Amino acid sequence: MATRQAVGRWAAVLAAALLAAPGLDSKGSEPIPKEITIQIGENVSMKLALIPAGKFMMGSPDSEQWHYKIEGPQHEVTLSKPFYMGVTEVTQAQYEAVMGTNPSNFKGATNPVETVSRKDAAEFCKKLSEKTRQTVRLPTEAEWEYACRAGTATAFSFGDADSALGDYAWYDANRGSTTHHPVGQKKPNAWGLFDMHGNVWEWCADWRGDYPNGAATDPQGPASGTSRVLRGGAWSTPPDPCRSADRYSYARGDRYYYFGFRVVVSVSVPGL
């Protein structure tokens, strides 16, 4: 379990980084840090990368290999604020430091935590937010795809051909005799994020629903639904679910050994 002192250090480091952002720095001249590292427990830290605000085309075109109807219509999305995203999926060590338990079926401190439901992931974010007075949360589906694409418009963050997927992802063709692998072993995307393709599916904040027919700004998904979105594919999947636009969903209480998550932290935090 994280000690009170460790949690205090976590909050202090994150607060210092966030105070450098525009609107929070008293001088108004300091740049936003491109990366922050936060201490969340005894010898357990988490690194997050800055994801800039911007626009992108969400979903996939009909011409994309393995395109599914639910990935359309492709539409322009604007994300009006930057945010920090974990450079890796939440590891088992990180989860245990916050929650005091490790539910994973396949153990490994630096492996992604798995066998977690959407409710479990949200509770992790809630506890971390309460301890640090920061806004720690799951990414929206739009934030996740935007961060995964990292400025690209191709099927994967590295191009359209799945022949290079093994350089960036653990999936069914290269996982070997194991399941998931320690995070951060493959190549990152252009924004420094690892394992956005493969390793474990990642829970998002949104209910699953149809995309809008027009442009959207900071979409949050439907107000209600029957299942929550997962993204990114996993160690058990073929290439197509690992695509940037692929959408998957399960009931929010379901737990499987290929379900994990990563977190985001808001850049501007009221009250700091």
Side-chain angles (χ1 to χ4, degrees), residues 217-243:
T217 298
D218 299 325
Q220 303 295 307
S224 61
T226 58
S227 62
R228 294 284 191 174
V229 172
L230 291 130
R231 287 298 201 108
W235 55 267
S236 58
T237 66
D240 53 301
C242 296
R243 290 175 302 118

PDB file of all heavy atoms in Angstrom, residues 217-243:
ATOM      1  N   THR A 217     -16.955  18.387 -31.029  1.00  0.00           N
ATOM      2  CA  THR A 217     -15.911  18.959 -30.189  1.00  0.00           C
ATOM      3  C   THR A 217     -15.972  18.331 -28.803  1.00  0.00           C
ATOM      4  O   THR A 217     -17.027  18.307 -28.177  1.00  0.00           O
ATOM      5  CB  THR A 217     -16.075  20.492 -30.076  1.00  0.00           C
ATOM      6  OG1 THR A 217     -15.947  21.080 -31.376  1.00  0.00           O
ATOM      7  CG2 THR A 217     -15.002  21.083 -29.162  1.00  0.00           C
ATOM      8  N   ASP A 218     -14.863  17.785 -28.359  1.00  0.00           N
ATOM      9  CA  ASP A 218     -14.748  17.144 -27.043  1.00  0.00           C
ATOM     10  C   ASP A 218     -15.896  16.170 -26.771  1.00  0.00           C
ATOM     11  O   ASP A 218     -16.575  16.249 -25.737  1.00  0.00           O
ATOM     12  CB  ASP A 218     -14.697  18.204 -25.938  1.00  0.00           C
ATOM     13  CG  ASP A 218     -13.505  19.134 -26.079  1.00  0.00           C
ATOM     14  OD1 ASP A 218     -12.429  18.681 -26.504  1.00  0.00           O
ATOM     15  OD2 ASP A 218     -13.658  20.345 -25.768  1.00  0.00           O
ATOM     16  N   PRO A 219     -16.132  15.221 -27.677  1.00  0.00           N
ATOM     17  CA  PRO A 219     -17.260  14.288 -27.481  1.00  0.00           C
ATOM     18  C   PRO A 219     -17.056  13.392 -26.268  1.00  0.00           C
ATOM     19  O   PRO A 219     -15.943  12.982 -25.958  1.00  0.00           O
ATOM     20  CB  PRO A 219     -17.262  13.481 -28.782  1.00  0.00           C
ATOM     21  CG  PRO A 219     -15.853  13.536 -29.269  1.00  0.00           C
ATOM     22  CD  PRO A 219     -15.358  14.908 -28.899  1.00  0.00           C
ATOM     23  N   GLN A 220     -18.150  13.115 -25.588  1.00  0.00           N
ATOM     24  CA  GLN A 220     -18.130  12.274 -24.388  1.00  0.00           C
ATOM     25  C   GLN A 220     -18.838  10.941 -24.599  1.00  0.00           C
ATOM     26  O   GLN A 220     -18.890  10.126 -23.684  1.00  0.00           O
ATOM     27  CB  GLN A 220     -18.824  13.015 -23.236  1.00  0.00           C
ATOM     28  CG  GLN A 220     -18.221  14.368 -22.920  1.00  0.00           C
ATOM     29  CD  GLN A 220     -16.799  14.265 -22.396  1.00  0.00           C
ATOM     30  OE1 GLN A 220     -16.542  13.529 -21.447  1.00  0.00           O
ATOM     31  NE2 GLN A 220     -15.873  14.989 -23.008  1.00  0.00           N
ATOM     32  N   GLY A 221     -19.390  10.721 -25.805  1.00  0.00           N
ATOM     33  CA  GLY A 221     -20.133   9.501 -26.062  1.00  0.00           C
ATOM     34  C   GLY A 221     -21.570   9.620 -25.574  1.00  0.00           C
ATOM     35  O   GLY A 221     -21.984  10.651 -25.048  1.00  0.00           O
ATOM     36  N   PRO A 222     -22.360   8.550 -25.712  1.00  0.00           N
ATOM     37  CA  PRO A 222     -23.762   8.579 -25.289  1.00  0.00           C
ATOM     38  C   PRO A 222     -23.914   8.807 -23.790  1.00  0.00           C
ATOM     39  O   PRO A 222     -23.003   8.503 -23.008  1.00  0.00           O
ATOM     40  CB  PRO A 222     -24.278   7.183 -25.679  1.00  0.00           C
ATOM     41  CG  PRO A 222     -23.294   6.655 -26.664  1.00  0.00           C
ATOM     42  CD  PRO A 222     -21.978   7.260 -26.301  1.00  0.00           C
ATOM     43  N   ALA A 223     -25.067   9.309 -23.395  1.00  0.00           N
ATOM     44  CA  ALA A 223     -25.331   9.552 -21.979  1.00  0.00           C
ATOM     45  C   ALA A 223     -25.580   8.268 -21.207  1.00  0.00           C
ATOM     46  O   ALA A 223     -25.430   8.237 -19.978  1.00  0.00           O
ATOM     47  CB  ALA A 223     -26.535  10.486 -21.835  1.00  0.00           C
ATOM     48  N   SER A 224     -25.966   7.201 -21.910  1.00  0.00           N
ATOM     49  CA  SER A 224     -26.205   5.912 -21.264  1.00  0.00           C
ATOM     50  C   SER A 224     -26.032   4.803 -22.291  1.00  0.00           C
ATOM     51  O   SER A 224     -25.878   5.068 -23.487  1.00  0.00           O
ATOM     52  CB  SER A 224     -27.620   5.862 -20.658  1.00  0.00           C
ATOM     53  OG  SER A 224     -28.593   6.020 -21.678  1.00  0.00           O
ATOM     54  N   GLY A 225     -26.060   3.576 -21.822  1.00  0.00           N
ATOM     55  CA  GLY A 225     -25.896   2.460 -22.733  1.00  0.00           C
ATOM     56  C   GLY A 225     -25.852   1.149 -21.981  1.00  0.00           C
ATOM     57  O   GLY A 225     -26.110   1.089 -20.770  1.00  0.00           O
ATOM     58  N   THR A 226     -25.497   0.091 -22.687  1.00  0.00           N
ATOM     59  CA  THR A 226     -25.444  -1.234 -22.079  1.00  0.00           C
ATOM     60  C   THR A 226     -24.028  -1.789 -21.990  1.00  0.00           C
ATOM     61  O   THR A 226     -23.793  -2.778 -21.301  1.00  0.00           O
ATOM     62  CB  THR A 226     -26.308  -2.226 -22.886  1.00  0.00           C
ATOM     63  OG1 THR A 226     -25.834  -2.275 -24.240  1.00  0.00           O
ATOM     64  CG2 THR A 226     -27.772  -1.802 -22.873  1.00  0.00           C
ATOM     65  N   SER A 227     -23.074  -1.157 -22.691  1.00  0.00           N
ATOM     66  CA  SER A 227     -21.694  -1.633 -22.647  1.00  0.00           C
ATOM     67  C   SER A 227     -20.734  -0.465 -22.756  1.00  0.00           C
ATOM     68  O   SER A 227     -21.073   0.586 -23.303  1.00  0.00           O
ATOM     69  CB  SER A 227     -21.430  -2.647 -23.764  1.00  0.00           C
ATOM     70  OG  SER A 227     -21.615  -2.066 -25.042  1.00  0.00           O
ATOM     71  N   ARG A 228     -19.528  -0.667 -22.240  1.00  0.00           N
ATOM     72  CA  ARG A 228     -18.485   0.362 -22.270  1.00  0.00           C
ATOM     73  C   ARG A 228     -17.421   0.017 -23.307  1.00  0.00           C
ATOM     74  O   ARG A 228     -17.149  -1.146 -23.587  1.00  0.00           O
ATOM     75  CB  ARG A 228     -17.832   0.493 -20.898  1.00  0.00           C
ATOM     76  CG  ARG A 228     -18.761   1.011 -19.808  1.00  0.00           C
ATOM     77  CD  ARG A 228     -19.001   2.495 -19.910  1.00  0.00           C
ATOM     78  NE  ARG A 228     -19.677   2.999 -18.723  1.00  0.00           N
ATOM     79  CZ  ARG A 228     -19.916   4.293 -18.490  1.00  0.00           C
ATOM     80  NH1 ARG A 228     -19.536   5.205 -19.365  1.00  0.00           N
ATOM     81  NH2 ARG A 228     -20.525   4.678 -17.386  1.00  0.00           N
ATOM     82  N   VAL A 229     -16.795   1.061 -23.844  1.00  0.00           N
ATOM     83  CA  VAL A 229     -15.845   0.906 -24.948  1.00  0.00           C
ATOM     84  C   VAL A 229     -14.493   0.399 -24.466  1.00  0.00           C
ATOM     85  O   VAL A 229     -13.992   0.811 -23.414  1.00  0.00           O
ATOM     86  CB  VAL A 229     -15.669   2.249 -25.679  1.00  0.00           C
ATOM     87  CG1 VAL A 229     -14.542   2.166 -26.713  1.00  0.00           C
ATOM     88  CG2 VAL A 229     -16.974   2.665 -26.345  1.00  0.00           C
ATOM     89  N   LEU A 230     -13.907  -0.482 -25.252  1.00  0.00           N
ATOM     90  CA  LEU A 230     -12.516  -0.913 -25.096  1.00  0.00           C
ATOM     91  C   LEU A 230     -11.802  -0.661 -26.414  1.00  0.00           C
ATOM     92  O   LEU A 230     -12.400  -0.748 -27.480  1.00  0.00           O
ATOM     93  CB  LEU A 230     -12.421  -2.404 -24.764  1.00  0.00           C
ATOM     94  CG  LEU A 230     -12.923  -2.823 -23.384  1.00  0.00           C
ATOM     95  CD1 LEU A 230     -13.875  -3.992 -23.519  1.00  0.00           C
ATOM     96  CD2 LEU A 230     -11.752  -3.201 -22.482  1.00  0.00           C
ATOM     97  N   ARG A 231     -10.505  -0.359 -26.348  1.00  0.00           N
ATOM     98  CA  ARG A 231      -9.733  -0.042 -27.547  1.00  0.00           C
ATOM     99  C   ARG A 231      -8.376  -0.744 -27.543  1.00  0.00           C
ATOM    100  O   ARG A 231      -7.842  -1.107 -26.497  1.00  0.00           O
ATOM    101  CB  ARG A 231      -9.510   1.477 -27.642  1.00  0.00           C
ATOM    102  CG  ARG A 231     -10.744   2.299 -28.023  1.00  0.00           C
ATOM    103  CD  ARG A 231     -11.262   1.915 -29.396  1.00  0.00           C
ATOM    104  NE  ARG A 231     -12.082   2.958 -29.984  1.00  0.00           N
ATOM    105  CZ  ARG A 231     -11.715   3.736 -31.003  1.00  0.00           C
ATOM    106  NH1 ARG A 231     -10.522   3.594 -31.552  1.00  0.00           N
ATOM    107  NH2 ARG A 231     -12.532   4.651 -31.476  1.00  0.00           N
ATOM    108  N   GLY A 232      -7.813  -0.908 -28.747  1.00  0.00           N
ATOM    109  CA  GLY A 232      -6.409  -1.256 -28.897  1.00  0.00           C
ATOM    110  C   GLY A 232      -6.043  -2.694 -29.195  1.00  0.00           C
ATOM    111  O   GLY A 232      -4.900  -2.980 -29.526  1.00  0.00           O
ATOM    112  N   GLY A 233      -6.997  -3.637 -29.059  1.00  0.00           N
ATOM    113  CA  GLY A 233      -6.618  -5.027 -29.269  1.00  0.00           C
ATOM    114  C   GLY A 233      -5.822  -5.589 -28.105  1.00  0.00           C
ATOM    115  O   GLY A 233      -5.595  -4.910 -27.098  1.00  0.00           O
ATOM    116  N   ALA A 234      -5.366  -6.820 -28.232  1.00  0.00           N
ATOM    117  CA  ALA A 234      -4.683  -7.480 -27.118  1.00  0.00           C
ATOM    118  C   ALA A 234      -3.737  -8.560 -27.615  1.00  0.00           C
ATOM    119  O   ALA A 234      -3.664  -8.840 -28.818  1.00  0.00           O
ATOM    120  CB  ALA A 234      -5.717  -8.094 -26.164  1.00  0.00           C
ATOM    121  N   TRP A 235      -3.038  -9.178 -26.661  1.00  0.00           N
ATOM    122  CA  TRP A 235      -2.106 -10.259 -26.969  1.00  0.00           C
ATOM    123  C   TRP A 235      -2.794 -11.430 -27.656  1.00  0.00           C
ATOM    124  O   TRP A 235      -2.151 -12.218 -28.349  1.00  0.00           O
ATOM    125  CB  TRP A 235      -1.433 -10.743 -25.691  1.00  0.00           C
ATOM    126  CG  TRP A 235      -2.384 -11.168 -24.607  1.00  0.00           C
ATOM    127  CD1 TRP A 235      -2.865 -10.387 -23.588  1.00  0.00           C
ATOM    128  CD2 TRP A 235      -2.980 -12.461 -24.433  1.00  0.00           C
ATOM    129  NE1 TRP A 235      -3.721 -11.103 -22.794  1.00  0.00           N
ATOM    130  CE2 TRP A 235      -3.804 -12.384 -23.281  1.00  0.00           C
ATOM    131  CE3 TRP A 235      -2.888 -13.669 -25.130  1.00  0.00           C
ATOM    132  CZ2 TRP A 235      -4.546 -13.471 -22.824  1.00  0.00           C
ATOM    133  CZ3 TRP A 235      -3.626 -14.760 -24.673  1.00  0.00           C
ATOM    134  CH2 TRP A 235      -4.447 -14.647 -23.526  1.00  0.00           C
ATOM    135  N   SER A 236      -4.094 -11.540 -27.496  1.00  0.00           N
ATOM    136  CA  SER A 236      -4.847 -12.681 -28.005  1.00  0.00           C
ATOM    137  C   SER A 236      -5.497 -12.433 -29.361  1.00  0.00           C
ATOM    138  O   SER A 236      -6.119 -13.340 -29.923  1.00  0.00           O
ATOM    139  CB  SER A 236      -5.940 -13.048 -26.992  1.00  0.00           C
ATOM    140  OG  SER A 236      -6.794 -11.927 -26.755  1.00  0.00           O
ATOM    141  N   THR A 237      -5.383 -11.212 -29.903  1.00  0.00           N
ATOM    142  CA  THR A 237      -6.131 -10.865 -31.111  1.00  0.00           C
ATOM    143  C   THR A 237      -5.266 -10.886 -32.369  1.00  0.00           C
ATOM    144  O   THR A 237      -4.054 -10.701 -32.308  1.00  0.00           O
ATOM    145  CB  THR A 237      -6.757  -9.466 -30.985  1.00  0.00           C
ATOM    146  OG1 THR A 237      -5.717  -8.478 -30.926  1.00  0.00           O
ATOM    147  CG2 THR A 237      -7.629  -9.356 -29.745  1.00  0.00           C
ATOM    148  N   PRO A 238      -5.903 -11.044 -33.533  1.00  0.00           N
ATOM    149  CA  PRO A 238      -5.204 -10.858 -34.806  1.00  0.00           C
ATOM    150  C   PRO A 238      -4.965  -9.372 -35.045  1.00  0.00           C
ATOM    151  O   PRO A 238      -5.339  -8.531 -34.203  1.00  0.00           O
ATOM    152  CB  PRO A 238      -6.179 -11.462 -35.825  1.00  0.00           C
ATOM    153  CG  PRO A 238      -7.525 -11.300 -35.195  1.00  0.00           C
ATOM    154  CD  PRO A 238      -7.295 -11.465 -33.719  1.00  0.00           C
ATOM    155  N   PRO A 239      -4.387  -8.989 -36.180  1.00  0.00           N
ATOM    156  CA  PRO A 239      -4.063  -7.575 -36.403  1.00  0.00           C
ATOM    157  C   PRO A 239      -5.240  -6.613 -36.424  1.00  0.00           C
ATOM    158  O   PRO A 239      -5.125  -5.488 -35.912  1.00  0.00           O
ATOM    159  CB  PRO A 239      -3.360  -7.594 -37.773  1.00  0.00           C
ATOM    160  CG  PRO A 239      -2.807  -8.953 -37.902  1.00  0.00           C
ATOM    161  CD  PRO A 239      -3.812  -9.845 -37.234  1.00  0.00           C
ATOM    162  N   ASP A 240      -6.373  -7.013 -36.986  1.00  0.00           N
ATOM    163  CA  ASP A 240      -7.426  -6.022 -37.222  1.00  0.00           C
ATOM    164  C   ASP A 240      -7.977  -5.336 -35.979  1.00  0.00           C
ATOM    165  O   ASP A 240      -8.231  -4.132 -35.999  1.00  0.00           O
ATOM    166  CB  ASP A 240      -8.560  -6.604 -38.074  1.00  0.00           C
ATOM    167  CG  ASP A 240      -9.132  -7.896 -37.550  1.00  0.00           C
ATOM    168  OD1 ASP A 240      -8.375  -8.867 -37.420  1.00  0.00           O
ATOM    169  OD2 ASP A 240     -10.337  -7.933 -37.257  1.00  0.00           O
ATOM    170  N   PRO A 241      -8.144  -6.011 -34.824  1.00  0.00           N
ATOM    171  CA  PRO A 241      -8.603  -5.268 -33.645  1.00  0.00           C
ATOM    172  C   PRO A 241      -7.558  -4.316 -33.073  1.00  0.00           C
ATOM    173  O   PRO A 241      -7.888  -3.476 -32.221  1.00  0.00           O
ATOM    174  CB  PRO A 241      -8.925  -6.380 -32.633  1.00  0.00           C
ATOM    175  CG  PRO A 241      -9.093  -7.607 -33.443  1.00  0.00           C
ATOM    176  CD  PRO A 241      -8.112  -7.457 -34.556  1.00  0.00           C
ATOM    177  N   CYS A 242      -6.317  -4.442 -33.528  1.00  0.00           N
ATOM    178  CA  CYS A 242      -5.252  -3.559 -33.045  1.00  0.00           C
ATOM    179  C   CYS A 242      -5.224  -2.223 -33.789  1.00  0.00           C
ATOM    180  O   CYS A 242      -4.430  -1.340 -33.426  1.00  0.00           O
ATOM    181  CB  CYS A 242      -3.890  -4.238 -33.194  1.00  0.00           C
ATOM    182  SG  CYS A 242      -3.689  -5.734 -32.198  1.00  0.00           S
ATOM    183  N   ARG A 243      -6.058  -2.066 -34.814  1.00  0.00           N
ATOM    184  CA  ARG A 243      -6.076  -0.814 -35.578  1.00  0.00           C
ATOM    185  C   ARG A 243      -6.504   0.371 -34.705  1.00  0.00           C
ATOM    186  O   ARG A 243      -7.236   0.223 -33.741  1.00  0.00           O
ATOM    187  CB  ARG A 243      -7.023  -0.929 -36.762  1.00  0.00           C
ATOM    188  CG  ARG A 243      -6.567  -1.849 -37.869  1.00  0.00           C
ATOM    189  CD  ARG A 243      -7.620  -1.997 -38.957  1.00  0.00           C
ATOM    190  NE  ARG A 243      -8.867  -2.517 -38.396  1.00  0.00           N
ATOM    191  CZ  ARG A 243     -10.017  -1.869 -38.397  1.00  0.00           C
ATOM    192  NH1 ARG A 243     -10.115  -0.658 -38.935  1.00  0.00           N
ATOM    193  NH2 ARG A 243     -11.090  -2.426 -37.865  1.00  0.00           N
TER     194      ARG A 243
END
